[in-house]
């Protein structure tokens, strides 16, 4: 009989953790790290604020966990060959759908925070820039990886702002060719 309540509590604890993480992701993305408090996150998650401390520790530890659980892009999985074209095709065909705007907002709205800024930069470097630099190799790979990320973020934001008007301004193949050249230039060795 005692194993049944323990199992139910474990499932509820996991559901509570997920609710807290989703509420935190939403609030950090839209309000930034410095402008949101634990109580607001708890209210959005429908839990007592003490549970956030119990499950995650501090607000900084919660933010770090949100960064760790952000979705990674699949673009790096195909290797360096054809990366620019794969990225261009993805942007045209999917509009950057695997990289929700909330993940970008999470990074952008907290990057200037004295507390969260270092976590944001570390996360970007560990999750995107360093793997990309290792994949493309050559001279100045970290710089080229950062240029790739900058171009990609700019294109995703433009697509979100302008929608189909931006990405459909040219026929599909022409837009893919143009974006491929732009991305290739960003990652090219000089």
């Amino acid at each position: 009989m005692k194993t049944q309540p323990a199992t139910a509590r474990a499932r509820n604890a996991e559901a509570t953790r997920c609710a807290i993480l989703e509420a935190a992701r939403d609030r950090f993305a839209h309000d930034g790290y410095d402008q949101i408090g634990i109580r607001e996150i708890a209210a959005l998650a429908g839990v007592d604020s003490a549970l956030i401390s119990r499950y995650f520790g501090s607000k900084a530890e919660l933010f770090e966990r949100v960064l760790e659980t952000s979705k990674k892009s699949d673009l790096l999985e195909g290797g360096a060959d054809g990366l620019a074209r794969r990225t261009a095709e993805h942007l045209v065909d999917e509009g950057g759908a695997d990289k929700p705007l909330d993940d970008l907002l999470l990074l952008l709205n907290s990057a200037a925070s004295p507390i969260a800024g270092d976590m944001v930069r570390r996360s970007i470097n560990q999750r995107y820039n360093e793997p990309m630099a290792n994949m493309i190799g050559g001279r100045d790979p970290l710089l080229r990886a950062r240029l790739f990320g900058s171009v990609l973020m700019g294109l995703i934001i433009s697509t979100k702002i302008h929608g189909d008007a931006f990405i459909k301004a040219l026929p599909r193949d022409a837009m893919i060719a143009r974006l491929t050249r732009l991305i290739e230039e960003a990652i090219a060795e000089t």
Side-chain angles (χ1 to χ4, degrees):
M1 290 300 258
K2 289 186 180 184
T3 53
Q4 197 69 341
T7 303
R9 276 196 305 271
R11 258 183 273 162
N12 289 340
E14 186 57 33
T16 300
R17 280 186 192 91
C18 289
I20 292 168
L21 281 171
E22 285 310 307
R25 181 180 321 285
D26 178 74
R27 292 299 72 203
F28 288 141
H30 292 95
D31 296 322
Y33 179 86
D34 292 333
Q35 284 68 43
I36 197 69
I38 293 293
R39 287 190 177 110
E40 291 91 352
I41 294 168
L44 185 60
V47 300
D48 185 274
S49 59
L51 284 177
I52 293 177
S53 296
R54 178 176 169 200
Y55 290 142
F56 297 100
S58 67
K59 179 174 135 178
E61 290 168 311
L62 174 61
F63 184 77
E64 187 91 46
R65 185 70 179 127
V66 167
L67 289 173
E68 289 169 1
T69 60
S70 293
K71 187 177 185 319
K72 285 188 176 182
S73 175
D74 297 332
L75 293 173
L76 299 181
E77 290 181 12
D81 290 339
L83 173 66
R85 178 145 181 109
R86 274 195 323 276
T87 303
E89 288 173 346
H90 178 74
L91 287 166
V92 170
D93 295 339
E94 306 296 328
D98 86 325
K99 187 65 176 160
L101 187 58
D102 278 0
D103 282 349
L104 287 176
L105 290 174
L106 175 71
L107 301 173
L108 293 171
N109 287 335
S110 297
S113 167
I115 296 170
D118 285 340
M119 289 185 269
V120 166
R121 286 181 285 283
R122 187 172 49 251
S123 177
I124 290 170
N125 280 327
Q126 290 173 348
R127 294 168 46 105
Y128 301 104
N129 292 340
E130 291 169 3
M132 174 73 170
N134 289 334
M135 183 180 71
I136 62 175
R139 199 170 64 232
D140 300 319
L142 190 56
L143 170 65
R144 293 171 27 238
R146 288 179 178 151
L147 287 170
F148 171 82
S150 298
V151 168
L152 185 58
M153 287 195 320
L155 290 169
I156 290 170
I157 290 170
S158 291
T159 301
K160 297 299 181 186
I161 291 170
H162 302 290
D164 283 348
F166 167 68
I167 212 70
K168 306 283 186 216
L170 297 173
R172 179 185 183 276
D173 289 341
M175 182 58 86
I176 288 172
R178 188 172 203 123
L179 292 176
T180 298
R181 287 191 306 272
L182 176 65
I183 296 163
E184 284 173 341
E185 184 62 31
I187 60 176
E189 287 187 72
T190 55

